Amino acid sequence: MLSISTANGSVTEILLSEGIVLLITPLTAGIVGAVLMGALALLLTRSSATLKVAHVTSAIVAVSLALTGDAILLYLLTLVLLLYLFEGLQTHRSGMLLISMTAIIALISWVVSEYVWVSAAQYSAIAIVVMYILLLIYQTYQQTEMLSREEEDSDDIEHESLGLPGRQSFKRAFNEYRQTNGHSCMLVLVRLMGFEQVNFHLGREFGDLLLAQSANRVAQCLQSGDVMAITHGNETAKMAHLGGLNFAFVCSLQHGNHLHEQLIEEIANSTLKPFNVGSCTLEITMRASYVNCDEEMGQLENLISCVFLALDSQIATHQQSLQQVVPYQQRMQIHRLEQQVRLSELAKINFRSEFELYFHPVIRHEDNGIEFVELLLRWQHPKQGILSAHEFIDDIRLVGLAIPVAQYVLERACEIALALKMEGIAVPISINVFGAELLSESFIEFIDYTLLHHQLSPGAIIIECPANMLAELNEQEIAMISRLKSLGVKMCVDSFGDAPLVLAKVPALRFDYVKLSRSMTQEPESMGHTKSLVKGIVEMHQEKDCLVIGEGVESTGQLEFVKSIGTIAAQGFYFSRPQNSNVLISWLKQNL
């Protein structure tokens, strides 16, 4: 039988059965709630099996004691406190020892005073329960501290192989440094490059050994007293390892406003020297970015995000020649926010209705005829207007639309080529491959099928690959290019010049066309002594039966220059600007 009634004041009586009554006051209700919540919190933390048993047992006993005041329950709680005391002795936790001993003393005073003074016994019982609640609070605090120490220890263990501090040590040193040093300082991020090929060809062990040697060279360049010292364990270093191939240091500008640039230059020069790993001689490169530590409210995590953003944002802009040193600029944050907006828009876009194709002709020098027409992808953005492909191609790859968009472009190119064929116009159409993921068996089968479906000869479509992509192809992707060639599809290297030896790295490839980048087709007075070098590159490709085209021609002087170095055709605003492909047939009829 269970009945609940309210007695005098704020005391509630709970009648469990005949003769058994519990008196509940706000104090006992609060104690019960605190005990239950504390025990539940401790059970969710990582602790030993002994402590988990102690938590559950003590919670049950403490709640029952608070409700009934039964002396037997008090003795049971004493045993639990002794268990905590034993755990404290085993683990040398002073806080647990103090609380347990205090609770036991209170218990002893209660037992002794129960037969002398009833009030003292009541106060002692309350003290025991209070001590237990304090024990729960202390245990929770200990668990939090333990997790924090484990994070710091794991941070140090992670970078122990390089002998460098990690992010946590870097953060502690930075906060102390900023409190004691009032001068401007720079946070510098150094990223080592070229390890992918080492790991792929020689194995991860050689890569780790090379990374250790590289980190040691970088550290040797940071002996200046203006570089912040980082303490980790019993050692001191001048730079931290942020994971992967990324290292960071902070230098004061007290004795020079350009000290960070000088240190970066020294690091770059040191990494240019070949490394001897085992019986191999290896070369690596580096890139760096920096940010003033007064930016972003001086918070280290925000500053680290800034230097990473500076390096990664340049890669995202699809630049053919990456800057070796990139200073952080606030507009990069704006570009990142814009990219995030574009990604959310692309995730739900119907690209077949919003994407358009423009065309740009390649004009022969010999007869001013059209060698082929390149199709360029454009996005009719509802707010930003027409966006060129380099502004969103990388975003397309990030949202996983690379292959669907490439299939759409290829289908449209084949439809245009078929329309030209029906009009009796024999002009090839070129499209751009914007990622190595398109050099797959399934996509090449799609190209073969689409050409057959539209009854086109393979020569009707030209595939353009960016030069920087070719430098990083693996053996399977190289085989896919050879497969395209075997199908009769013509291949073109786009924006060649930023990596002029790229074809020497992949001798198995044979291309029909090579487009020289804008950097190699500037005005003659801008080229200086490099004209003979560019001409030599053109001759090298001509010996391989590869036709060379000059890109970015915008003036008569540029046109004469690209003619003088041996190119067979040119492309650029000098001839026409890109136009919508809807007018391609009428434009060709007027210009052929």
Side-chain angles (χ1 to χ4, degrees):
M1 174 182 178
L2 175 65
S3 64
I4 302 174
S5 61
T6 303
N8 295 332
S10 58
V11 178
T12 301
E13 295 182 353
I14 300 179
L15 178 62
L16 299 177
S17 61
E18 189 174 353
I20 302 177
V21 179
L22 296 181
L23 299 179
I24 305 298
T25 66
L27 175 61
T28 57
I31 291 174
V32 170
V35 169
L36 290 176
M37 292 301 294
L40 179 61
L42 284 174
L43 284 174
L44 296 176
T45 61
R46 291 186 295 176
S47 57
S48 64
T50 303
L51 284 179
K52 286 186 181 292
V53 172
H55 297 330
V56 175
T57 306
S58 59
I60 296 173
V61 173
V63 169
S64 302
L65 176 62
L67 293 175
T68 65
D70 194 323
I72 296 176
L73 296 175
L74 192 62
Y75 298 144
L76 290 177
L77 185 58
T78 304
L79 294 177
V80 177
L81 292 173
L82 287 173
L83 185 61
Y84 279 119
L85 180 61
F86 175 76
E87 177 73 13
L89 290 171
Q90 291 290 319
T91 57
H92 305 287
R93 296 182 184 176
S94 58
M96 185 179 292
L97 289 173
L98 178 62
I99 295 175
S100 301
M101 291 179 66
T102 304
I104 291 173
I105 292 171
L107 175 68
I108 294 172
S109 66
W110 182 87
V111 173
V112 173
S113 61
E114 184 178 9
Y115 302 100
V116 180
W117 188 23
V118 176
S119 298
Q122 293 174 348
Y123 291 138
S124 298
I126 293 174
I128 292 173
V129 177
V130 171
M131 287 299 105
Y132 174 72
I133 294 174
L134 290 177
L135 181 62
L136 292 178
I137 297 172
Y138 174 76
Q139 279 285 88
T140 305
Y141 170 76
Q142 284 289 97
Q143 292 290 341
T144 305
E145 286 293 303
M146 187 183 302
L147 290 175
S148 177
R149 285 196 299 269
E150 286 179 0
E151 289 181 358
E152 294 179 4
D153 293 342
S154 63
D155 178 69
D156 293 334
I157 292 172
E158 179 183 356
H159 308 297
E160 191 178 53
S161 59
L162 295 177
L164 293 174
R167 190 179 291 241
Q168 294 297 328
S169 300
F170 189 42
K171 184 176 182 179
R172 288 195 300 270
F174 178 80
N175 291 335
E176 294 174 1
Y177 186 75
R178 292 292 283 172
Q179 290 176 0
T180 58
N181 190 318
H183 301 282
S184 295
C185 55
M186 289 284 184
L187 170 64
V188 180
L189 173 70
V190 175
R191 177 177 296 172
L192 300 177
M193 314 284 287
F195 280 79
E196 294 82 0
Q197 296 297 325
V198 175
N199 292 334
F200 179 77
H201 293 289
L202 299 179
R204 189 60 180 266
E205 292 183 1
F206 277 90
D208 291 343
L209 185 57
L210 179 60
L211 179 61
Q213 291 188 12
S214 306
N216 184 58
R217 281 196 189 179
V218 175
Q220 293 299 318
C221 300
L222 302 176
Q223 301 304 313
S224 170
D226 288 324
V227 179
M228 180 187 76
I230 309 168
T231 302
H232 61 118
N234 298 324
E235 299 180 357
T236 301
K238 289 298 184 78
M239 72 174 183
H241 186 197
L242 300 185
L245 304 174
N246 302 298
F247 302 85
F249 65 90
V250 172
C251 64
S252 171
L253 303 183
Q254 179 181 1
H255 300 109
N257 293 331
H258 302 284
L259 175 62
H260 57 291
E261 296 176 352
Q262 298 171 13
L263 294 174
I264 292 172
E265 185 176 359
E266 290 180 20
I267 293 171
N269 292 334
S270 70
T271 56
L272 287 176
K273 301 175 184 177
F275 291 83
N276 295 317
V277 180
S279 59
C280 302
T281 300
L282 305 172
E283 296 181 356
I284 65 167
T285 57
M286 58 79 67
R287 297 182 64 231
S289 61
Y290 58 85
V291 60
N292 193 303
C293 293
D294 293 330
E295 293 274 0
E296 299 296 325
M297 306 298 290
Q299 298 297 316
L300 182 62
E301 290 297 333
N302 295 338
L303 295 173
I304 291 176
S305 298
C306 290
V307 287
F308 272 104
L309 175 62
L311 284 186
D312 297 336
S313 63
Q314 196 191 19
I315 294 175
T317 57
H318 209 64
Q319 295 190 21
Q320 301 296 326
S321 179
L322 297 177
Q323 290 178 249
Q324 187 179 40
V325 182
V326 187
Y328 166 77
Q329 300 175 5
Q330 288 186 343
R331 61 180 176 81
M332 294 176 177
Q333 297 282 7
I334 298 175
H335 290 167
R336 181 175 65 173
L337 293 175
E338 291 176 347
Q339 184 189 43
Q340 291 173 347
V341 171
R342 287 197 303 270
L343 289 176
S344 63
E345 293 171 338
L346 286 170
K348 51 189 176 183
I349 190 177
N350 181 2
F351 58 82
R352 293 182 179 273
S353 61
E354 293 192 32
F355 285 174
E356 296 180 354
L357 290 177
Y358 280 53
F359 73 90
H360 207 200
V362 175
I363 307 298
R364 288 190 298 269
H365 302 320
E366 182 181 5
D367 58 358
N368 288 330
I370 299 172
E371 183 68 18
F372 62 85
V373 172
E374 179 182 5
L375 290 185
L376 305 171
L377 187 63
R378 296 289 185 266
W379 181 9
Q380 187 66 46
H381 194 276
K383 296 179 180 179
Q384 300 179 35
I386 298 177
L387 301 179
S388 59
H390 74 271
E391 296 180 75
F392 62 89
I393 281 298
D394 290 289
D395 301 332
I396 286 177
R397 299 175 68 186
L398 286 174
V399 296
L401 290 176
I403 291 181
V405 170
Q407 290 175 340
Y408 160 73
V409 172
L410 177 65
E411 288 175 340
R412 289 284 294 115
C414 288
E415 291 171 0
I416 293 172
L418 180 59
L420 294 178
K421 179 181 177 181
M422 295 177 66
E423 292 287 339
I425 301 174
V427 175
I429 303 293
S430 77
I431 62 173
N432 291 277
V433 172
F434 42 80
E437 64 268 24
L438 300 181
L439 298 177
S440 62
E441 184 72 29
S442 60
F443 188 70
I444 290 178
E445 289 179 355
F446 179 79
I447 293 176
D448 190 25
Y449 167 78
T450 307
L451 289 171
L452 290 174
H453 180 71
H454 289 83
Q455 300 179 351
L456 297 173
S457 64
I461 298 294
I462 299 171
I463 304 293
E464 297 194 27
C465 299
N468 64 336
M469 184 188 81
L470 297 177
E472 301 176 355
L473 293 181
N474 57 38
E475 294 180 0
Q476 181 180 0
E477 292 161 347
I478 292 174
M480 291 298 101
I481 290 182
S482 299
R483 170 85 184 281
L484 278 172
K485 288 288 295 177
S486 67
L487 293 176
V489 177
K490 291 186 177 182
M491 302 294 296
C492 174
V493 179
D494 189 22
S495 299
F496 183 87
D498 299 313
L501 298 179
V502 64
L503 291 185
K505 295 181 179 180
V506 282
L509 299 179
R510 291 292 182 268
F511 288 87
D512 300 281
Y513 297 97
V514 167
K515 286 184 177 180
L516 299 180
S517 67
R518 298 173 183 271
S519 62
M520 303 184 72
T521 59
Q522 299 175 11
E523 296 283 358
E525 57 269 16
S526 303
M527 298 300 292
H529 298 292
T530 60
K531 178 179 179 179
S532 58
L533 174 61
V534 177
K535 189 172 183 179
I537 292 173
V538 174
E539 293 174 352
M540 177 187 71
H541 294 303
Q542 288 175 340
E543 291 176 357
K544 298 180 180 181
D545 298 325
C546 183
L547 304 178
V548 182
I549 299 166
E551 278 188 318
V553 175
E554 298 183 5
S555 66
T556 303
Q558 282 182 282
L559 178 60
E560 294 302 321
F561 174 73
V562 297
K563 286 181 178 179
S564 68
I565 59 176
T567 61
I568 62 100
Q571 183 182 28
F573 292 168
Y574 176 80
F575 303 102
S576 71
R577 289 186 173 273
Q579 301 182 55
N580 196 298
S581 60
N582 294 333
V583 300
L584 175 59
I585 293 178
S586 59
W587 186 90
L588 287 173
K589 286 182 177 180
Q590 294 176 2
N591 289 274
L592 283 176

